[in-house]
Amino acid sequence: LIAEALYPYKKDLIIATKGGLVRPGLTEGQWPIIGDPAYLGQAVRMSIRRLKVERIDLWQLHRVDPKVPEADQFGFIKDMIDQGFIRHAGLSQVTVAQIKEAQKYFPVATVQNMYNLVNRADEDVLDYCEENNIGFIPWFPLASGDLAKSGGVVDTIAKAKGATPSQIALAWMLKRSPVMLPIPGTSRVVHLEENVAGANVVLSDE
């Protein structure tokens, strides 16, 4: 779909994709992890073909497969970089220890973990990314739970700013760290425009 919509690409466009999960049509939410280098290599090559690019600017490992030695998975990524199939590489849903291990093989450019106003379990990962200039890509960034309910702190701030709760959630993330790159999902242009406008909301330190 990206190639269909945007190819030929503008020179300053960076396209990121991932590999390592499969969707076999099982129960919704069940995405088996496959970290076998042979499969990952196929995923990289298929992404290159589908995206119509010569190399992938940013390729991220969907998950570290516990059934496959980390050395095999991280070594595969190093090989893909060395061979020119991938320019930058990142990880998804990892610990600080896993990032440090991966850094023995290749420069970790990004980390994509779940993080939002109500789920900050990976503060240590975000802090490590900030200390090491690694882009932090929070997935499910718009979750704000009870904070966004009428009278909640997010709702109150949103009304004061003339913004939506989603815009406040995004503005809070961007305020939280200079390495933050939220990726709110949407299927409607109006929501895309609303989310982008969240970057213009200015929040105080408080």
Side-chain angles (χ1 to χ4, degrees):
L1 289 175
I2 289 173
E4 213 174 284
L6 301 176
Y7 186 84
Y9 305 117
K10 293 182 179 179
K11 290 184 179 180
D12 61 350
L13 185 66
I14 293 176
I15 299 175
T17 189
K18 300 167 79 175
L21 291 185
V22 293
R23 286 183 274 185
L26 300 174
T27 304
E28 185 176 347
Q30 291 186 342
W31 290 21
I33 303 170
I34 301 181
D36 174 32
Y39 169 75
L40 294 178
Q42 179 185 0
V44 167
R45 290 174 175 84
M46 288 302 296
S47 288
I48 288 173
R49 182 186 306 174
R50 290 176 178 140
L51 289 169
K52 298 182 180 179
V53 294
E54 293 183 2
R55 69 175 178 183
I56 297 171
D57 284 326
L58 173 61
W59 187 88
Q60 299 179 118
L61 182 64
H62 250 301
R63 294 289 187 277
V64 176
D65 189 344
K67 305 182 300 296
V68 178
E70 289 185 356
D72 292 353
Q73 297 171 78
F74 299 154
F76 158 79
I77 295 173
K78 179 186 183 303
D79 289 344
M80 289 290 99
I81 293 173
D82 291 346
Q83 293 178 46
F85 290 106
I86 295 170
R87 182 181 180 192
H88 300 292
L91 305 168
S92 184
Q93 212 52 49
V94 287
T95 63
V96 171
Q98 287 173 320
I99 299 171
K100 289 180 176 178
E101 184 62 26
Q103 286 176 312
K104 297 176 183 177
Y105 296 83
F106 62 92
V108 177
T110 56
V111 168
Q112 184 173 332
N113 281 21
M114 180 188 280
Y115 184 84
N116 50 56
L117 275 166
V118 292
N119 185 340
R120 308 182 204 175
D122 287 343
E123 287 280 357
D124 61 329
V125 176
L126 174 54
D127 289 340
Y128 182 82
C129 287
E130 190 169 328
E131 291 164 6
N132 292 272
N133 199 32
I134 296 170
F136 186 83
I137 307 176
W139 59 273
F140 201 33
L142 297 183
S144 50
D146 290 343
L147 299 176
K149 287 185 177 179
S150 182
V153 64
V154 172
D155 174 64
T156 301
I157 294 172
K159 287 175 179 174
K161 294 284 186 181
T164 66
S166 293
Q167 288 174 330
I168 297 302
L170 290 170
W172 178 84
M173 287 198 153
L174 294 171
K175 178 83 172 177
R176 169 64 181 81
S177 173
V179 299
M180 190 76 74
L181 180 63
I183 50 167
T186 181
S187 59
R188 298 178 62 189
V189 172
V190 65
H191 287 160
L192 172 64
E193 292 172 343
E194 177 185 312
N195 290 336
V196 171
N200 297 323
V201 176
V202 179
L203 300 179
S204 67
D205 290 341
E206 181 182 6

